[in-house]
Amino acid sequence: SPSRDGTKEEKGREPLEKGHAALFQSMPDVKVGTRRAWSQGDAVVWEWTATGTEPAPKGGPPKRVGFTAASV
């Protein structure tokens, strides 16, 4: 069902896996963890970090990568 802003709301693991299939294929060891989460009124903020290993470019060594983001 649509959310208040009109976007499609999806729940559960399957939509997440389907939407991020290319990421999971390129970095099968990707891990996502929560740094912190908080709420005020009806707003929730989730600060998270993702890490994984990029495949070796042209025979070079694999490279560990990561980033931090926030979802509201």
Side-chain angles (χ1 to χ4, degrees):
S1 66
S3 66
R4 290 188 303 187
D5 66 0
T7 59
K8 183 178 179 186
E9 187 174 284
E10 296 181 303
K11 295 180 182 179
R13 183 178 176 155
E14 187 176 325
L16 180 66
E17 287 179 345
K18 185 177 179 183
H20 292 80
L23 172 65
F24 293 140
Q25 284 180 328
S26 66
M27 286 193 294
D29 68 339
V30 68
K31 291 183 177 49
V32 178
T34 298
R35 293 177 54 99
R36 59 187 172 154
W38 64 97
S39 66
Q40 183 170 350
D42 65 352
V44 176
V45 177
W46 175 42
E47 186 178 5
W48 52 278
T49 300
T51 59
T53 307
E54 283 186 333
K58 298 185 181 180
K63 179 180 169 185
R64 293 286 298 162
V65 295
F67 63 91
T68 299
S71 300
V72 180

